[in-house]
Amino acid sequence: MRKLTEIEAKVFNFLNDLRDSGKVNMFGARPYIIKTFGTGEKKSSEILILWMKNFEESREWNESDEIKA
């Protein structure tokens, strides 16, 4: 486990809100991350995958499991 970076925590919270809104299937959330946070495609994909892997209903995003490529 590791601490989330500041940007990861912000994107995780954004993704929770986006999911709750029902506007988009979360597999299509990458463009929303790019537009909102100005991250590149690769970084947006990495954070989205990390969020999906670590999604919990508790929404407490202090630590995260690493993605193994």
PDB file of all heavy atoms in Angstrom, residues 42-56:
ATOM      1  N   LYS A  42      -1.958   8.944 -20.999  1.00  0.00           N
ATOM      2  CA  LYS A  42      -1.352   7.854 -20.229  1.00  0.00           C
ATOM      3  C   LYS A  42      -1.625   8.016 -18.739  1.00  0.00           C
ATOM      4  O   LYS A  42      -2.059   7.065 -18.075  1.00  0.00           O
ATOM      5  CB  LYS A  42       0.154   7.790 -20.483  1.00  0.00           C
ATOM      6  CG  LYS A  42       0.825   6.661 -19.749  1.00  0.00           C
ATOM      7  CD  LYS A  42       2.310   6.581 -20.036  1.00  0.00           C
ATOM      8  CE  LYS A  42       2.917   5.443 -19.231  1.00  0.00           C
ATOM      9  NZ  LYS A  42       4.350   5.383 -19.333  1.00  0.00           N
ATOM     10  N   LYS A  43      -1.377   9.202 -18.202  1.00  0.00           N
ATOM     11  CA  LYS A  43      -1.586   9.443 -16.774  1.00  0.00           C
ATOM     12  C   LYS A  43      -3.060   9.301 -16.404  1.00  0.00           C
ATOM     13  O   LYS A  43      -3.394   8.720 -15.366  1.00  0.00           O
ATOM     14  CB  LYS A  43      -1.079  10.836 -16.388  1.00  0.00           C
ATOM     15  CG  LYS A  43      -1.147  11.125 -14.907  1.00  0.00           C
ATOM     16  CD  LYS A  43      -0.218  10.213 -14.137  1.00  0.00           C
ATOM     17  CE  LYS A  43      -0.172  10.585 -12.670  1.00  0.00           C
ATOM     18  NZ  LYS A  43       0.630   9.637 -11.904  1.00  0.00           N
ATOM     19  N   SER A  44      -3.939   9.793 -17.265  1.00  0.00           N
ATOM     20  CA  SER A  44      -5.378   9.659 -17.010  1.00  0.00           C
ATOM     21  C   SER A  44      -5.791   8.199 -16.964  1.00  0.00           C
ATOM     22  O   SER A  44      -6.570   7.797 -16.098  1.00  0.00           O
ATOM     23  CB  SER A  44      -6.173  10.403 -18.081  1.00  0.00           C
ATOM     24  OG  SER A  44      -5.883  11.773 -18.029  1.00  0.00           O
ATOM     25  N   SER A  45      -5.269   7.408 -17.881  1.00  0.00           N
ATOM     26  CA  SER A  45      -5.568   5.974 -17.899  1.00  0.00           C
ATOM     27  C   SER A  45      -5.052   5.291 -16.644  1.00  0.00           C
ATOM     28  O   SER A  45      -5.745   4.458 -16.046  1.00  0.00           O
ATOM     29  CB  SER A  45      -4.949   5.314 -19.131  1.00  0.00           C
ATOM     30  OG  SER A  45      -5.558   5.778 -20.299  1.00  0.00           O
ATOM     31  N   GLU A  46      -3.835   5.640 -16.237  1.00  0.00           N
ATOM     32  CA  GLU A  46      -3.252   5.034 -15.032  1.00  0.00           C
ATOM     33  C   GLU A  46      -4.102   5.325 -13.801  1.00  0.00           C
ATOM     34  O   GLU A  46      -4.371   4.434 -12.988  1.00  0.00           O
ATOM     35  CB  GLU A  46      -1.827   5.547 -14.815  1.00  0.00           C
ATOM     36  CG  GLU A  46      -0.835   5.035 -15.830  1.00  0.00           C
ATOM     37  CD  GLU A  46       0.521   5.727 -15.740  1.00  0.00           C
ATOM     38  OE1 GLU A  46       0.668   6.710 -14.969  1.00  0.00           O
ATOM     39  OE2 GLU A  46       1.440   5.288 -16.451  1.00  0.00           O
ATOM     40  N   ILE A  47      -4.532   6.571 -13.661  1.00  0.00           N
ATOM     41  CA  ILE A  47      -5.335   6.943 -12.493  1.00  0.00           C
ATOM     42  C   ILE A  47      -6.710   6.279 -12.550  1.00  0.00           C
ATOM     43  O   ILE A  47      -7.216   5.799 -11.535  1.00  0.00           O
ATOM     44  CB  ILE A  47      -5.457   8.471 -12.360  1.00  0.00           C
ATOM     45  CG1 ILE A  47      -4.074   9.094 -12.106  1.00  0.00           C
ATOM     46  CG2 ILE A  47      -6.413   8.832 -11.217  1.00  0.00           C
ATOM     47  CD1 ILE A  47      -4.067  10.612 -12.124  1.00  0.00           C
ATOM     48  N   LEU A  48      -7.316   6.227 -13.726  1.00  0.00           N
ATOM     49  CA  LEU A  48      -8.618   5.577 -13.866  1.00  0.00           C
ATOM     50  C   LEU A  48      -8.530   4.096 -13.510  1.00  0.00           C
ATOM     51  O   LEU A  48      -9.379   3.575 -12.776  1.00  0.00           O
ATOM     52  CB  LEU A  48      -9.158   5.753 -15.291  1.00  0.00           C
ATOM     53  CG  LEU A  48     -10.501   5.094 -15.594  1.00  0.00           C
ATOM     54  CD1 LEU A  48     -11.603   5.610 -14.665  1.00  0.00           C
ATOM     55  CD2 LEU A  48     -10.869   5.317 -17.055  1.00  0.00           C
ATOM     56  N   ILE A  49      -7.517   3.426 -13.987  1.00  0.00           N
ATOM     57  CA  ILE A  49      -7.333   2.004 -13.662  1.00  0.00           C
ATOM     58  C   ILE A  49      -7.112   1.830 -12.170  1.00  0.00           C
ATOM     59  O   ILE A  49      -7.659   0.911 -11.546  1.00  0.00           O
ATOM     60  CB  ILE A  49      -6.172   1.406 -14.483  1.00  0.00           C
ATOM     61  CG1 ILE A  49      -6.560   1.339 -15.962  1.00  0.00           C
ATOM     62  CG2 ILE A  49      -5.784   0.026 -13.954  1.00  0.00           C
ATOM     63  CD1 ILE A  49      -5.390   1.064 -16.898  1.00  0.00           C
ATOM     64  N   LEU A  50      -6.318   2.708 -11.579  1.00  0.00           N
ATOM     65  CA  LEU A  50      -6.061   2.654 -10.146  1.00  0.00           C
ATOM     66  C   LEU A  50      -7.366   2.836  -9.362  1.00  0.00           C
ATOM     67  O   LEU A  50      -7.645   2.108  -8.412  1.00  0.00           O
ATOM     68  CB  LEU A  50      -5.053   3.740  -9.775  1.00  0.00           C
ATOM     69  CG  LEU A  50      -4.446   3.695  -8.390  1.00  0.00           C
ATOM     70  CD1 LEU A  50      -3.610   2.444  -8.200  1.00  0.00           C
ATOM     71  CD2 LEU A  50      -3.581   4.932  -8.168  1.00  0.00           C
ATOM     72  N   TRP A  51      -8.182   3.797  -9.794  1.00  0.00           N
ATOM     73  CA  TRP A  51      -9.473   4.024  -9.135  1.00  0.00           C
ATOM     74  C   TRP A  51     -10.357   2.784  -9.247  1.00  0.00           C
ATOM     75  O   TRP A  51     -10.956   2.352  -8.270  1.00  0.00           O
ATOM     76  CB  TRP A  51     -10.167   5.235  -9.760  1.00  0.00           C
ATOM     77  CG  TRP A  51     -11.536   5.507  -9.193  1.00  0.00           C
ATOM     78  CD1 TRP A  51     -11.836   6.164  -8.046  1.00  0.00           C
ATOM     79  CD2 TRP A  51     -12.789   5.111  -9.776  1.00  0.00           C
ATOM     80  NE1 TRP A  51     -13.199   6.216  -7.879  1.00  0.00           N
ATOM     81  CE2 TRP A  51     -13.803   5.565  -8.916  1.00  0.00           C
ATOM     82  CE3 TRP A  51     -13.136   4.417 -10.927  1.00  0.00           C
ATOM     83  CZ2 TRP A  51     -15.149   5.358  -9.181  1.00  0.00           C
ATOM     84  CZ3 TRP A  51     -14.483   4.208 -11.183  1.00  0.00           C
ATOM     85  CH2 TRP A  51     -15.473   4.673 -10.321  1.00  0.00           C
ATOM     86  N   MET A  52     -10.438   2.216 -10.447  1.00  0.00           N
ATOM     87  CA  MET A  52     -11.274   1.029 -10.646  1.00  0.00           C
ATOM     88  C   MET A  52     -10.797  -0.129  -9.770  1.00  0.00           C
ATOM     89  O   MET A  52     -11.607  -0.838  -9.182  1.00  0.00           O
ATOM     90  CB  MET A  52     -11.267   0.611 -12.109  1.00  0.00           C
ATOM     91  CG  MET A  52     -12.054   1.523 -12.995  1.00  0.00           C
ATOM     92  SD  MET A  52     -11.963   0.969 -14.706  1.00  0.00           S
ATOM     93  CE  MET A  52     -13.128   2.068 -15.475  1.00  0.00           C
ATOM     94  N   LYS A  53      -9.489  -0.288  -9.689  1.00  0.00           N
ATOM     95  CA  LYS A  53      -8.929  -1.386  -8.901  1.00  0.00           C
ATOM     96  C   LYS A  53      -9.195  -1.192  -7.417  1.00  0.00           C
ATOM     97  O   LYS A  53      -9.344  -2.162  -6.680  1.00  0.00           O
ATOM     98  CB  LYS A  53      -7.426  -1.485  -9.152  1.00  0.00           C
ATOM     99  CG  LYS A  53      -6.773  -2.654  -8.463  1.00  0.00           C
ATOM    100  CD  LYS A  53      -5.326  -2.779  -8.863  1.00  0.00           C
ATOM    101  CE  LYS A  53      -4.733  -4.042  -8.285  1.00  0.00           C
ATOM    102  NZ  LYS A  53      -3.832  -3.773  -7.194  1.00  0.00           N
ATOM    103  N   ASN A  54      -9.243   0.049  -6.979  1.00  0.00           N
ATOM    104  CA  ASN A  54      -9.354   0.339  -5.554  1.00  0.00           C
ATOM    105  C   ASN A  54     -10.713   0.875  -5.143  1.00  0.00           C
ATOM    106  O   ASN A  54     -10.868   1.352  -4.028  1.00  0.00           O
ATOM    107  CB  ASN A  54      -8.275   1.351  -5.155  1.00  0.00           C
ATOM    108  CG  ASN A  54      -6.907   0.741  -5.192  1.00  0.00           C
ATOM    109  OD1 ASN A  54      -6.517   0.047  -4.277  1.00  0.00           O
ATOM    110  ND2 ASN A  54      -6.182   0.964  -6.274  1.00  0.00           N
ATOM    111  N   PHE A  55     -11.693   0.814  -6.040  1.00  0.00           N
ATOM    112  CA  PHE A  55     -12.998   1.380  -5.733  1.00  0.00           C
ATOM    113  C   PHE A  55     -13.598   0.718  -4.499  1.00  0.00           C
ATOM    114  O   PHE A  55     -13.649  -0.491  -4.373  1.00  0.00           O
ATOM    115  CB  PHE A  55     -13.952   1.221  -6.913  1.00  0.00           C
ATOM    116  CG  PHE A  55     -15.293   1.829  -6.629  1.00  0.00           C
ATOM    117  CD1 PHE A  55     -15.469   3.186  -6.735  1.00  0.00           C
ATOM    118  CD2 PHE A  55     -16.355   1.048  -6.225  1.00  0.00           C
ATOM    119  CE1 PHE A  55     -16.701   3.766  -6.445  1.00  0.00           C
ATOM    120  CE2 PHE A  55     -17.583   1.610  -5.938  1.00  0.00           C
ATOM    121  CZ  PHE A  55     -17.754   2.973  -6.043  1.00  0.00           C
ATOM    122  N   GLU A  56     -14.043   1.558  -3.589  1.00  0.00           N
ATOM    123  CA  GLU A  56     -14.735   1.098  -2.389  1.00  0.00           C
ATOM    124  C   GLU A  56     -15.893   2.049  -2.122  1.00  0.00           C
ATOM    125  O   GLU A  56     -15.793   3.240  -2.379  1.00  0.00           O
ATOM    126  CB  GLU A  56     -13.813   1.124  -1.167  1.00  0.00           C
ATOM    127  CG  GLU A  56     -12.670   0.144  -1.248  1.00  0.00           C
ATOM    128  CD  GLU A  56     -11.788   0.213  -0.002  1.00  0.00           C
ATOM    129  OE1 GLU A  56     -12.162   0.890   0.971  1.00  0.00           O
ATOM    130  OE2 GLU A  56     -10.734  -0.412  -0.026  1.00  0.00           O
TER     131      GLU A  56
END
